[in-house]
Amino acid sequence: MRYLPRSHLAGVLPRAAAHLFETAHSAHPNRGERPRTAWILQFTQRRAPGDPHRTHQKLAQGQERSTRVLTDPGAIVRAQLAGLGNRRARGRRAARVLVVGDFGNGDTGDEALLARALGELPRGTEVSVLSRNPRLVEWTHGVPSRPMTALSFAGGLRWSDAVLVVGGGMFGAGLPPLVRLLPWVVDAAKAAGRDTVYLAIGAYPGMPPAVARRLRAAARELGRVTVRDRLSAETLGANVPNVGDLALRLRPEPPEHAARALACAGVDTSTPLLLLSLKAVPDPAKMAALADSCLLAARRWREHGGSVAALALSTHADHGLGLARRDAALAAELADRLGAPLPVLGPQLPPALAKAVVGRAAGVLGLRMHAMVFAVGSGVRCAGFAWEEKTRAFLVEADHATILDPKTPKSVTDWVDATIAAVSAA
């Protein structure tokens, strides 16, 4: 085996990544053109005003409309993944794909992205998922997984024919060190002969300039990058396809499985159900306003005779806020203020079951973005608070979604009234 020398990586990788690749990759010349270099052209085009295919291009009032639209996001995803790794495997064996993302971290939304990506890979592809909790990933998805360590990552890169970076809002302000390094690692994998793809990623203003330059360069190569919202496409600025969040088209479990989960949690399904998805935010004043809005919505919904439950999509609080601020703990606090039981579904629901549960609701309100993604993908009315960039980007484009202002209580009660009225009229 010939190893990729450090001199070959000069100017490409920071020292830490160069050391990783010295031990990870054999040199493999890039023979010929990539098989997916022209796939994008059949899926993206300019459309005349009023085109019926603009269903996921709803913009905030006053914003300029994009001239790029989708024809079939699912077809774009399948085309992007078609033949992934085959160039290096050369038909001697199944292609091997190393999947990279924030998996095994107790977040149902991230696991939904992985589930959809695995479902779209060509049949017979060998997969290894880099994750924080390999046993959890193997149990949830039924595929091999490896720990998120430098040594394990190096072994996965050496084993792989392709590297697939999957979705999520990982590229934005406040990148952790490993994510900051990832574009350089992916570029080095490409230089070592691996196919490399970014699938339905979120890329937002505020990411470090060097990271943005790397991603923009990748986006200029046809077929390497797709994004999940219009803001990410504008941030990368390379006419990159917007395929929407992967969880939008995740296949849910059968309705009877959702009914069983709701019954086990003690949810009354004989009346319209409001699901609240809570999430701690770093600003205490903002968190208080958001909690007040959820409490107001719960009280108003119950006044209409409906039932209310909480959907916990994460085992932990984001932003390093600790277990005391996890989703289930916030639901318990809300129940105390509500003065009534508040059944909690999750955390650690399999993603397809979580989406099926959301599909049984009459309305979804909350802070976790993927609760709203599940709702939109299931045709359920939802409302959220645009307190972070990725959530705002999704809500602006989504059907059946409303952006609420926690400083305006009437916006919350109006949404509840309208949702109940729509359910009653159906």
Side-chain angles (χ1 to χ4, degrees):
M1 180 180 291
R2 292 192 299 121
Y3 292 99
L4 194 64
R6 183 186 295 273
S7 59
H8 185 77
L9 299 176
V12 177
L13 286 173
R15 182 176 300 175
H19 175 72
L20 176 66
F21 268 84
E22 275 185 331
T23 62
H25 285 281
S26 59
H28 191 288
N30 189 346
R31 296 179 174 86
E33 293 294 325
R34 289 165 54 96
R36 300 187 303 281
T37 53
W39 65 272
I40 187 177
L41 298 178
Q42 60 181 311
F43 295 113
T44 59
Q45 59 184 355
R46 295 177 182 271
R47 292 198 176 273
D51 191 299
H53 291 288
R54 299 180 68 94
T55 57
H56 291 290
Q57 298 291 325
K58 183 180 70 176
L59 308 180
Q61 186 175 5
Q63 289 182 310
E64 182 181 356
R65 287 189 177 272
S66 169
T67 58
R68 292 192 62 264
V69 297
L70 306 178
T71 55
D72 181 356
I76 297 176
V77 168
R78 289 188 292 275
Q80 188 183 15
L81 299 181
L84 191 63
N86 285 348
R87 177 168 53 88
R88 189 171 183 274
R90 301 180 186 176
R92 298 172 299 184
R93 51 170 170 74
R96 299 169 175 170
V97 177
L98 179 66
V99 184
V100 180
D102 190 16
F103 308 126
N105 198 30
D107 189 304
T108 303
D110 290 325
E111 300 307 317
L113 304 180
L114 175 58
R116 170 77 192 288
L118 293 174
E120 296 292 358
L121 283 169
R123 186 182 298 273
T125 302
E126 289 188 35
V127 170
S128 181
V129 178
L130 191 71
S131 74
R132 299 177 186 271
N133 188 335
R135 288 185 178 180
L136 179 61
V137 167
E138 290 172 354
W139 177 82
T140 303
H141 302 282
V143 296
S145 182
R146 61 181 65 231
M148 191 177 289
T149 63
L151 185 61
S152 174
F153 197 179
L157 291 167
R158 183 171 60 249
W159 166 86
S160 69
D161 300 312
V163 177
L164 173 60
V165 180
V166 175
M170 65 176 72
F171 297 109
L175 291 183
L178 287 177
V179 178
R180 188 184 296 256
L181 186 65
L182 184 58
W184 279 267
V185 176
V186 171
D187 283 352
K190 181 174 182 291
R194 275 70 176 172
D195 291 336
T196 58
V197 164
Y198 294 89
L199 176 63
I201 61 171
Y204 303 108
M207 78 177 103
V211 174
R213 285 193 295 271
R214 283 282 167 182
L215 291 178
R216 286 168 184 152
R220 286 193 290 270
E221 298 181 43
L222 295 179
R224 278 195 75 192
V225 181
T226 53
V227 296
R228 70 177 185 179
D229 52 51
R230 188 175 59 84
L231 178 59
S232 296
E234 292 174 350
T235 300
L236 296 183
N239 204 36
V240 61
N242 172 7
V243 297
D245 191 278
L246 291 176
L248 282 168
R249 294 186 174 212
L250 175 68
R251 186 186 298 275
E253 290 194 15
E256 56 269 24
H257 294 185
R260 187 180 306 119
L262 289 164
C264 290
V267 177
D268 179 6
T269 57
S270 64
T271 60
L273 172 63
L274 172 66
L275 281 177
L276 298 175
S277 176
L278 306 174
K279 177 180 178 177
V281 304
D283 185 334
K286 186 175 292 185
M287 184 70 242
L290 293 169
D292 288 346
S293 295
C294 291
L295 178 62
L296 176 62
R299 285 174 172 163
R300 186 75 165 198
W301 193 275
R302 284 167 57 86
E303 289 173 2
H304 283 288
S307 56
V308 182
L311 179 65
L313 291 183
S314 181
T315 58
H316 60 279
D318 294 349
H319 313 291
L321 296 176
L323 290 176
R325 308 307 294 158
R326 65 191 186 278
D327 298 11
L330 297 178
E333 292 178 3
L334 192 67
D336 288 342
R337 298 179 64 190
L338 184 62
L342 187 64
V344 179
L345 294 108
Q348 300 287 46
L349 288 177
L353 178 58
K355 187 171 184 180
V357 166
V358 169
R360 294 293 302 269
V364 174
L365 171 65
L367 287 78
R368 289 274 175 198
M369 174 179 157
H370 275 98
M372 290 170 278
V373 172
F374 290 157
V376 171
S378 304
V380 174
R381 295 170 68 98
C382 68
F385 307 97
W387 67 278
E388 56 184 350
E389 221 154 20
K390 64 181 183 179
T391 303
R392 182 184 307 110
F394 174 75
L395 291 173
V396 161
E397 295 184 43
D399 294 329
H400 314 295
T402 303
I403 299 177
L404 300 180
D405 182 1
K407 297 179 181 179
T408 310
K410 190 174 186 301
S411 69
V412 176
T413 55
D414 285 351
W415 177 80
V416 169
D417 295 344
T419 302
I420 287 290
V423 171
S424 300

